[in-house]
Every structure is written in structure tokens, then in C-alpha cells.
Amino acid sequence: MKKRKKLASTLVMTTVMSTMVMACSTSTPPPASDNKTNQSQTPPPASTGTATTYPMKTDKTLTYWAELTGNLVGVKATHQDVPFFAEWQKKTGVPLKFIAPPTNQAKETLNVMLASGDLPDMIEFNFFKDFPGGPEKAIKDGYILKLNDMIDKFAPNLKKYLKEHPEIDKMVKTDNGSYYAFPFIRGDDSLMVYQGPIVRQDWLDELGLPLPQTIDDWTAMLKAFKEKKGASAPFTASSKPRVFNEFNSGHFMGAYGVTRDFYLDNGTIKFGPAEKGYKDWLALFRGWYEQGLIDKNIATVDAKAFDANMSSGASGATVANTGGGIGKWQPLIEAKDPKGKLVAAPQPVLKKGDTPQFGQRDLPFSINGGMVAITAKTKNIELAVKMLDYGYSEEGHMYFNFGTEGVSYKMENGYPKYTDLLMKNPDKLAPAQMLSQYTRSNYSGPFVQDKRYIEQYLALQAQKDAVGIWAKTDMAKHQMPPITPTPEESTEFAKIMTDVNTLVDEMTMKIILGAEPVDSFEKYVEKLKSVKLDRAIEIQKAALDRYNKR
């Protein structure tokens, strides 16, 4: 059993490589023509008569449970040490006591805490995806509150925003109409795509190769990187969650018409790893691995080794984010090679000129985290609701996105410009690390993200170009919306998918590493059926039907 678990964890990487995406998300944003998220960067001020005056006056201290974001690990020890959280308390007038789980142990720690019954006032956790049974189960079991009445009475800022954005309002509640958390909302289309393939443009120029568009282009490029540039890991990737914890949209796999998750194919729900396209992708990566085109240490590469691969020239291609990828590595590469240049490559296809089917694309409502629930144990419901509603106010919007005026940003011709403290830090900390200290704009939280953040965060032209390159896919046609199975369905679904994903991960790694032949795929698909994959699809369809009727 230990061997099986070890192999399954190793396989996360393959999921990474196969699905490499993001964000974070398997849902469908509204079509561009209907998408209202870009109509208002700043949530409107609350209605008169019910608005809360900040800072509030209280003698109570609220408890707040949340994991420390990755950009702060190793930089700050606790939330209380982070300027953003210290100032947030001052601006709202509400003192907070922070509780943080150990890094990468949020789920396990939360389960222990819930079992103990000793709950904080607020929990920042992904109840949409990571709580067994889903948000309605968490409400039913008495862990978190249904917030409908509380939002109506004490959260005028969030209430008004959702009323003006009905397509987002539909996403942030359950089929029963329950609001269960204060959501993280991406306030513009430009904020929804942030991840994709990255290659060394200077190597392409030197070798006389075009920017890869097709799978054949990629194969030829990786071979050239290995043979002519001496790259020991032409394409690098990692199984470590802190390095790649958001990849879930079928990079490379999308060339064969599938993704690693459930998706829509002309209205029909399918599961990528059970489709023929997945076998074709497996054959590709098996071949790449045999030829030494993929990092042979995929199971052990951590963030430090990953950075070293990209900055040293051991690797010339990968999949990563605009900020944590191009923005992080470009200066490191240039320090060793002034001509070194990273650029985004389009999602690969089989035939030049085709539109990629899949790629990373988030939803306006981020289903990958940042949401904050209020627990059923709190004795300070009104105070907690009012504090969380601050993030959707005009003042809170500016604070969450840009921090404190005069410190982390200054207004220039009506535009909030980040200061050199964040963008050119004297202590040589990366902008991502500094932004995470003074704002929440570059990760998530209970607020509406502002596009003026990304306009500055993507300081390099290569980063700005990347968003447009990666956005050219048909992902929106295939993504599942944020459906919520019933508690009973969710429990059954979770049990099935535990078995399904274990099978997928084990089979994927075995085939890529050569432990099993590619032709074992059909046998494995039969095993998927035996652990009730068809039933999982039925559950997804029922939930989708209910979502469409909301």
C-alpha cells in the first residue's frame, strides 16, 4: 500500500505535465460578449443607510484560520508578521488572532480541527473543491454558516456587486441558493489566463528554429535543445505542489482533444483519461521520456531545483505562470547570459493553423481558493460579516489590490502605481514576494481582483504578450461550470474519484516511464469502468442540469 501511495504521489507530476494548468479551473466563464466582469474594476460603494463605517469599534478579537501563501513561506513566519494583515485589522477596526496550518497540510489540519469541534470564527479554505461533500455538506454538518441572511443584512458591498453581476452570483452559490463563503472574484477577462508553455527564444534563434506551434515542432525543438545546447532536461516539470499546484487544463494533451479532467464535448460530459486522445498523449510523453527530452528527475524536482533547471540552461522549456515563471526566471537567466530570453509559446496542436482546444483559463469566480467561510461556532457573526465585506467596498478594493497609499502604491494621474518598494525591492525580494506582503492582488482572498494589478505585475513585454498567446484556445467551450453536487452525490463522487484518480495516476506514470506498454491503456479504461467512472459522469450531469436551471 505504501508503494502504491508513493507511486500515486509521484504521479501528480504526470497530471501536472498532462494537464498543466490552472487554476486552477475546470469551469466555463461567460462568453466574452456576455462577460460583465470587465465592466467595473471597483465594486460600487454600498447602498446608503446600511453601509458600515470603517474602522469599526469593538472590544472583541476574531480568530482567522488560513494557510500562509507560498510567496510568503520563508519570508514571513506568521500572518501577524505580514504588513497586509496588520493593516487590515487597523482599517476594519477588528483585531484578529491568526491560526495557520503547516505548509502543504491544510486539508489534513482542517479535518483534525473540524473533528475537535474547536473552530475559529473564520476559515479561509476551498469548500467548493476540497471539502468532502461540498459546501452544502459543510453547512449541513454544522461547520460553516449559510450566509444568505447575513449578507442581506450586513454585507451591502458584496450584495450590490453580485446583484450587478448576475452571471457571477450564479457561480458563488449552491443549487439550493446557499451563499457559503465570501468569494475571490477576478474582475476582468485579462486576469483569467496566466499560465502556459514557455521556451528559450534565444536558443530558438541560435538554432534557426521557429516558435513551436505543433507537437512535431515541440519534438524537434526538444531534440535540438538536448543535442545542440546540451540541455540535460530539455523540458522540465515537477511533482511538487508548491511548484505546480494549479495545472489542470491539458497542456500538450489538448492537442489530442482531451484534458485531465471532466470537460464538455458538444454538451456531453467526458473524462479525458478515459478517451483515446489520452492514449495518444501517453504515447507522445513515453517517447519523449525514452529520448531524454523530459527531465528524468520529475518525481523529485522541487521549487529550488526547478529554478536551477531554468536559470542554468539545463532546461529550455516548461509550463509555468507569467509571474512565477517568466517574471521569476528571466532575471536569473539574464544574469548568466545577457542574451537569454524566455517567451510564451502557443498551446500546441497537431496541425499548424488549428485552434488549440484546451489551455489554462480561470473563472470570474475562482474555484481554486481564496474564499472565506464563517463557522457555525462563532459568536460574532455580524462583526465577521462586516469585516469580510470590507474587501468589496471601494476603499477595501483599493487596499486588497494595491495596499497602503504612500507605501505600496501612489496615485499618478488617477492610476494606482506600485512603488519601488514592491517592484524594485532594495532587499532584492521578487515583486511576487513583496506584493504578497502588502496586498492580496497576486494570489486570492475575499475581494474583487483589479486588472490594474496585472498591468504592472507583468512588467516584461514577454509577460504581457504571454497572456494573449495563451488565451487563444477554445477552452471556454469545453470547461465545466462550477457545479455543486448534493452532499450525498458529492460523497459518492469523491469516493469514486479517489479510486479513479489513483488508477489514472499510476497508469500514467507506469506508461510514461516504460513500466507498462502504451497498449495497456485499453485494459486500464476497463478498470476505470469497474470503479464506477460512468456513475461519476452521471453525477456530474445531474449537477450540471441543476446548475443550468439556477
Side-chain angles (χ1 to χ4, degrees):
M1 178 59 74
K2 285 185 177 177
K3 221 174 199 180
R4 181 182 178 93
K5 286 183 178 176
K6 184 175 181 182
L7 183 56
S9 66
T10 300
L11 250 149
V12 172
M13 182 267 129
T14 305
T15 299
V16 162
M17 294 164 54
S18 68
T19 63
M20 294 195 205
V21 175
M22 137 214 330
C24 4
S25 52
T26 53
S27 308
T28 307
S33 59
D34 296 328
N35 194 339
K36 300 177 184 176
T37 60
N38 58 2
Q39 293 180 0
S40 174
Q41 291 178 37
T42 304
S47 320
T48 56
T50 58
T52 299
T53 300
Y54 299 102
M56 296 180 282
K57 293 182 179 180
T58 180
D59 57 358
K60 300 183 184 300
T61 297
L62 300 185
T63 47
Y64 190 100
W65 186 98
E67 188 173 17
L68 201 65
T69 187
N71 283 325
L72 293 174
V73 174
V75 179
K76 295 293 184 180
T78 68
H79 287 87
Q80 201 67 53
D81 299 328
V82 178
F84 173 87
F85 292 103
E87 188 66 18
W88 187 27
Q89 296 173 69
K90 293 178 184 177
K91 288 185 175 295
T92 59
V94 182
L96 295 176
K97 177 183 177 182
F98 292 96
I99 306 166
T103 302
N104 291 330
Q105 296 181 38
K107 289 183 186 179
E108 297 84 352
T109 306
L110 180 72
N111 288 337
V112 173
M113 182 175 70
L114 294 178
S116 74
D118 185 14
L119 305 183
D121 295 295
M122 294 169 280
I123 296 177
E124 185 174 323
F125 183 76
N126 193 346
F127 284 93
F128 179 86
K129 288 176 70 174
D130 294 338
F131 185 82
E136 283 289 359
K137 182 78 161 53
I139 294 172
K140 182 180 178 181
D141 289 350
Y143 294 132
I144 64 174
L145 292 173
K146 179 176 178 178
L147 298 172
N148 296 48
D149 290 343
M150 296 302 101
I151 289 175
D152 190 51
K153 293 177 182 176
F154 307 122
N157 299 302
L158 177 59
K159 178 181 177 181
K160 186 170 185 180
Y161 184 87
L162 294 178
K163 184 176 181 180
E164 294 184 351
H165 298 79
E167 77 288 354
I168 295 177
D169 182 58
K170 183 177 179 179
M171 295 180 181
V172 303
K173 57 191 175 186
T174 68
D175 293 328
N176 291 343
S178 301
Y179 296 104
Y180 55 91
F182 283 75
F184 173 48
I185 300 168
R186 299 189 186 279
D188 190 82
D189 288 349
S190 61
L191 295 162
M192 298 178 201
V193 175
Y194 48 79
Q195 187 183 81
I198 297 170
V199 300
R200 286 284 295 264
Q201 179 67 59
D202 55 312
W203 288 11
L204 295 178
D205 294 341
E206 181 184 335
L207 298 171
L209 295 171
L211 189 67
Q213 297 183 42
T214 66
I215 292 295
D216 286 345
D217 289 343
W218 271 86
T219 301
M221 179 189 72
L222 295 177
K223 284 181 179 178
F225 284 0
K226 178 187 177 184
E227 297 167 2
K228 298 179 181 179
K229 293 301 299 180
S232 58
F235 183 94
T236 193
S238 172
S239 64
K240 302 295 181 181
R242 274 290 174 200
V243 185
F244 286 136
N245 61 350
E246 297 181 291
F247 285 34
N248 199 30
S249 296
H251 297 286
F252 295 96
M253 189 186 301
Y256 302 100
V258 297
T259 188
R260 172 59 177 81
D261 213 327
F262 294 94
Y263 64 94
L264 292 171
D265 182 10
N266 292 320
T268 300
I269 299 175
K270 293 185 177 180
F271 183 64
E275 300 295 320
K276 181 183 179 299
Y278 196 81
K279 179 181 180 181
D280 296 333
W281 171 81
L282 284 171
L284 172 73
F285 268 62
R286 165 73 171 270
W288 281 3
Y289 188 83
E290 287 177 340
Q291 297 170 68
L293 306 184
I294 298 175
D295 193 336
K296 66 176 185 283
N297 298 314
I298 54 177
T300 58
V301 172
D302 58 12
K304 186 175 180 181
F306 198 90
D307 291 344
N309 279 347
M310 292 303 298
S311 61
S312 69
S315 301
T318 188
V319 169
N321 293 355
T322 47
I326 296 175
K328 184 178 186 180
W329 299 322
Q330 183 62 45
L332 300 176
I333 290 172
E334 279 186 13
K336 295 187 177 183
D337 181 357
K339 295 182 180 179
K341 184 180 181 182
L342 291 174
V343 297
Q347 300 291 347
V349 293
L350 291 180
K351 183 182 177 182
K352 187 175 180 179
D354 285 353
T355 299
Q357 294 297 298
F358 294 91
Q360 179 273 320
R361 182 180 172 86
D362 208 348
L363 284 170
F365 162 51
S366 178
I367 61 172
N368 293 301
M371 59 191 72
V372 182
I374 297 175
T375 72
K377 296 287 186 179
T378 183
K379 296 178 181 177
N380 303 292
I381 299 174
E382 180 178 344
L383 187 63
V385 170
K386 288 182 175 180
M387 180 184 187
L388 293 173
D389 191 48
Y390 173 78
Y392 307 93
S393 69
E394 188 170 356
E395 178 186 319
H397 177 82
M398 292 300 294
Y399 181 63
F400 270 76
N401 282 284
F402 305 106
T404 301
E405 186 172 4
V407 179
S408 56
Y409 81 96
K410 55 185 177 181
M411 294 300 292
E412 293 187 359
N413 298 318
Y415 190 97
K417 185 177 180 181
Y418 293 123
T419 61
D420 287 349
L421 174 67
L422 273 61
M423 306 309 288
K424 298 177 183 178
N425 183 252
D427 295 325
K428 306 300 182 184
L429 289 175
Q433 294 172 310
M434 293 307 298
L435 279 163
S436 295
Q437 289 192 57
Y438 287 89
T439 77
R440 295 205 61 170
S441 55
N442 69 327
Y443 57 114
S444 59
F447 72 107
V448 179
Q449 193 180 41
D450 192 312
K451 75 172 183 177
R452 292 173 294 182
Y453 135 73
I454 202 71
E455 290 170 353
Q456 299 174 76
Y457 184 50
L458 304 184
L460 304 174
Q461 189 59 46
Q463 293 175 294
K464 293 180 172 68
D465 293 342
V467 174
I469 291 170
W470 295 336
K472 292 177 181 177
T473 73
D474 283 337
M475 189 68 179
K477 296 179 181 178
H478 300 293
Q479 286 176 294
M480 293 282 289
I483 57 176
T484 51
T486 66
E488 294 75 22
E489 288 174 340
S490 189
T491 300
E492 182 183 3
F493 181 79
K495 183 177 183 302
I496 293 171
M497 292 311 296
T498 295
D499 294 335
V500 166
N501 286 322
T502 297
L503 276 173
V504 171
D505 289 345
E506 289 187 356
M507 177 277 309
T508 302
M509 186 59 83
K510 284 179 179 178
I511 289 180
I512 288 177
L513 298 185
E516 285 194 15
V518 176
D519 285 343
S520 65
F521 177 81
E522 281 73 19
K523 187 192 306 180
Y524 128 83
V525 170
E526 289 304 314
K527 288 183 180 178
L528 285 181
K529 294 180 183 293
S530 73
V531 295
K532 301 183 180 179
L533 172 61
D534 289 344
R535 173 57 185 156
I537 292 175
E538 285 179 7
I539 291 172
Q540 292 278 285
K541 185 180 185 304
L544 178 62
D545 289 343
R546 291 193 301 271
Y547 179 87
N548 289 333
K549 293 176 181 177
R550 287 183 188 176

